[in-house]
């Protein structure tokens, strides 16, 4: 039993160390994936695809879940490494992570996009596609989407930028 516990603890420590060493690369990769996803999601065709495709919706939510997971890992790493130092870059990184982890959580994202999907459905059912009212409603929907997704993207990009200025290895 002691061997299993010792082995498990060693494995956890090894995995944690590997994550610490690769965190910059992981965050870079996730940032690139999110940036592409954000472009796709910020317009009418993107929200249509999100609202109508469970696979795409699950892929989007899965990506956001990964980002939140690694933000939590990154927060721990930066907090531990810079806890005794007054490092402005570390402080800025932690602040951005907290913003993403509190304001742009996966449940908040899902709630926002559920509301946008409801609006998408309402627009499709209520307006003739060739009418100017339809075009105005789509434009309004796209502005809301772009604003929300841009805020998330800006935070994620800032975290990625900050960590390149920190010495995490």
């Amino acid at each position: 039993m002691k061997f299993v516990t010792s082995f498990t603890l060693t494995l956890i420590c090894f995995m944690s160390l590997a994550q610490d060493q690769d965190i910059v690369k992981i965050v870079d990769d996730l940032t690139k994936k999110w940036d592409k996803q954000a472009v796709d999601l910020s317009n009418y065709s993107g929200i249509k695809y999100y609202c109508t495709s469970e696979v795409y919706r699950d892929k989007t939510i899965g990506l956001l879940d990964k980002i939140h997971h690694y933000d939590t890992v990154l927060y721990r790493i930066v907090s531990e490494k810079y806890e005794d130092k007054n490092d402005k870059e570390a402080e800025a990184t932690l602040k951005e992570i907290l913003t993403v982890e509190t304001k742009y959580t996966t449940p908040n994202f899902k709630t926002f996009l559920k509301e946008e999907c409801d609006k998408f459905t309402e627009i499709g059912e209520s307006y003739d596609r060739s009418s100017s009212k339809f075009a105005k409603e789509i434009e309004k929907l796209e502005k809301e989407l772009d604003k929300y997704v841009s805020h998330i993207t800006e935070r994620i990009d800032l975290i990625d930028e900050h960590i390149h200025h920190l010495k995490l290895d």
Side-chain angles (χ1 to χ4, degrees):
M1 184 68 171
K2 285 183 181 180
F3 173 74
V4 172
T5 304
S6 176
F7 177 75
T8 303
L9 288 173
T10 303
L11 184 59
I12 290 169
C13 289
F14 176 74
M15 289 171 57
S16 178
L17 179 62
Q19 272 187 336
D20 289 2
Q21 292 174 344
D22 294 336
I23 192 72
V24 174
K25 182 183 179 333
I26 291 168
V27 171
D28 279 347
D29 290 344
L30 289 172
T31 300
K32 287 176 189 165
K33 287 177 182 175
W34 176 257
D35 287 347
K36 181 186 178 319
Q37 194 80 15
V39 169
D40 293 345
L41 199 54
S42 294
N43 58 49
Y44 179 76
S45 61
I47 193 67
K48 178 180 179 181
Y49 194 39
Y50 178 89
C51 297
T52 59
S53 171
E54 186 176 346
V55 171
Y56 181 71
R57 193 169 40 254
D58 289 346
K59 178 184 166 191
T60 303
I61 297 302
L63 176 58
L64 198 59
D65 284 341
K66 279 184 184 178
I67 289 168
H68 283 293
H69 168 74
Y70 283 104
D71 276 352
T72 303
V73 171
L74 182 61
Y75 189 87
R76 179 189 53 81
I77 293 168
V78 174
S79 293
E80 288 173 4
K81 190 157 182 122
Y82 291 94
E83 83 181 322
D84 293 335
K85 299 174 186 150
N86 189 13
D87 186 290
K88 294 294 183 192
E89 201 68 42
E91 185 180 322
T93 303
L94 294 173
K95 180 182 175 206
E96 293 300 337
I97 292 171
L98 282 175
T99 300
V100 169
E101 293 302 311
T102 57
K103 190 172 183 179
Y104 299 106
T105 64
T106 301
N108 289 351
F109 179 81
K110 288 169 74 173
T111 298
F112 174 79
L113 285 179
K114 166 96 173 69
E115 291 168 2
E116 296 305 289
C117 285
D118 291 346
K119 290 175 190 174
F120 165 81
T121 302
E122 182 183 327
I123 292 168
E125 293 173 351
S126 301
Y127 302 101
D128 175 15
R129 293 191 186 280
S130 61
S131 73
S132 63
K133 184 69 174 165
F134 178 81
K136 285 179 185 177
E137 290 299 315
I138 294 300
E139 185 179 335
K140 191 165 98 176
L141 179 71
E142 286 181 331
K143 281 183 181 179
E144 288 176 23
L145 275 169
D146 186 54
K147 183 178 176 183
Y148 188 81
V149 171
S150 292
H151 284 295
I152 296 172
T153 303
E154 184 180 346
R155 301 277 80 77
I156 291 170
D157 289 349
L158 283 170
I159 292 167
D160 187 46
E161 186 180 315
H162 285 306
I163 64 172
H164 284 278
H165 297 283
L166 297 172
K167 299 206 182 303
L168 297 178
D169 39 17

